[in-house]
Amino acid sequence: MALIGPTGRPLSGGAAKPASGPAPPGGVVKDASLETFAADVLDASRQVPVIVDFWAPWCGPCKQLGPLLEKVVNEAKGAVRLVKINIDENQEIARQLRVQSIPTVYAFRDGQPVDGFMGAIPESQLRAFVQQLTGGAAGQDQMEDVLAAADEAYASGDVGGAAQAYGQVLQDEPGHPRAVAGLARCYLKSGDIERARKTLGLVRPDAVADEAIRTVDAELKLREQAASAGDSAELRKRLEQDPNDHRARFDLALARDAKGDREGAIQELLEIVRRDRTWNDEAARKHLVTFFEAMGPTDPRTIAARRQLSSMLFS
């Protein structure tokens, strides 16, 4: 598609350049005119895809779409650029590109229009549009940033902020395992076991065995079992009377974990293994394995307990 410049000669980009590489100089969002169209769109699109937004100050839908477009493009961190063209000031460009209504959006790559749409669309569709245009690179980079921010918020105690960020990822990519696990973990933190269980069920089928999902699933099982724990004082009395009352010790481990004393719970289970490793079809060892899955392989508690367990099993 050739545009005719103000001198009557076709506007065209320079020699072809590789489609990959850093963004052209300048900001990723800018205004353009007929005089700058070749440089801002045709030439620039030989380095990274360029989205062209045709708008006007009097256009209501344009006021909705424009800020969302800028947000999504800015979050892509240079993987795509946005050029805004006011059709009131640049009627010739709109005429040559056959823009019949606004907002109209065209995407350019290698100096040619490759995609586009008309009208205001939701943010989720804009993200999908940008992801497709960039081969998924922009979306993945942005998604990783959101997930990292969500993890940081959770670690700092901002469970509400973390849940909101995980939910944002799930809107753009339903079933994403890390986001599903994170949101379920937020519900667990707030004590809502039922919603945590339902949230885990949202993971896409091919990611059921994802490590993040397994970790939260293990923690969920521990919380569900801990809910049936008995009274700690009564269980301790039973153990004082009979140190080999493995059921009392197992229930005490559940009770201690329910109160946040996981290290104490681990020691109770290790004591059962030391006294009778086969008790109740190796219930203590199996529960320890669930602890290890919930805490993760690099957790110091996992490492220490595995070492103690191994020395008991192989001594």
Side-chain angles (χ1 to χ4, degrees), residues 138-277:
Q140 289 302 317
D141 288 346
Q142 180 217 339
M143 188 173 296
E144 285 301 315
D145 288 344
V146 174
L147 286 169
D151 291 343
E152 183 176 346
Y154 181 86
S156 67
D158 182 9
V159 178
Q164 185 176 5
Y166 290 128
Q168 178 183 335
V169 173
L170 290 175
Q171 285 184 346
D172 294 333
E173 188 176 327
H176 189 290
R178 186 172 159 194
V180 168
L183 185 57
R185 192 167 64 241
C186 290
Y187 284 130
L188 273 180
K189 188 73 171 180
S190 64
D192 195 337
I193 295 178
E194 181 62 25
R195 293 190 72 176
R197 172 61 68 189
K198 289 181 178 179
T199 300
L200 276 186
L202 299 176
V203 69
R204 61 177 188 253
D206 66 322
V208 173
D210 185 270
E211 182 178 351
I213 295 296
R214 294 202 317 271
T215 296
V216 180
D217 184 54
E219 186 65 47
L220 182 56
K221 290 176 180 176
L222 291 172
R223 296 291 184 88
E224 290 172 337
Q225 290 178 294
S228 63
D231 179 70
S232 298
E234 179 61 31
L235 293 170
R236 292 182 190 279
K237 288 181 180 179
R238 287 173 55 184
L239 284 172
E240 289 175 2
Q241 296 171 1
D242 180 8
N244 286 319
D245 185 345
H246 303 320
R247 169 51 62 184
R249 194 177 297 279
F250 188 88
D251 289 346
L252 179 60
L254 298 182
R256 295 184 71 167
D257 189 51
K259 293 181 178 180
D261 183 12
R262 178 151 296 176
E263 291 187 16
I266 289 173
Q267 291 306 312
E268 298 293 355
L269 294 173
L270 287 170
E271 181 63 17
I272 294 174
V273 174
R274 188 185 70 80
R275 289 173 178 271
D276 185 356
R277 69 183 64 175

Side-chain angles (χ1 to χ4, degrees), residues 80-157:
V80 66
R81 298 189 70 183
L82 173 63
V83 171
K84 302 174 69 65
I85 295 180
N86 183 340
I87 65 167
D88 285 351
E89 299 174 354
N90 298 279
Q91 296 181 17
E92 185 62 22
I93 298 180
R95 184 186 68 79
Q96 293 187 42
L97 287 176
R98 299 182 177 86
V99 175
Q100 298 179 347
S101 65
I102 54 173
T104 288
V105 172
Y106 285 146
F108 282 75
R109 185 187 292 117
D110 296 326
Q112 297 293 326
V114 294
D115 202 353
F117 61 86
M118 291 187 295
I121 63 176
E123 184 175 344
S124 59
Q125 293 184 32
L126 285 178
R127 294 189 188 283
F129 180 75
V130 172
Q131 287 184 36
Q132 182 176 359
L133 188 61
T134 61
Q140 289 302 317
D141 288 346
Q142 180 217 339
M143 188 173 296
E144 285 301 315
D145 288 344
V146 174
L147 286 169
D151 291 343
E152 183 176 346
Y154 181 86
S156 67

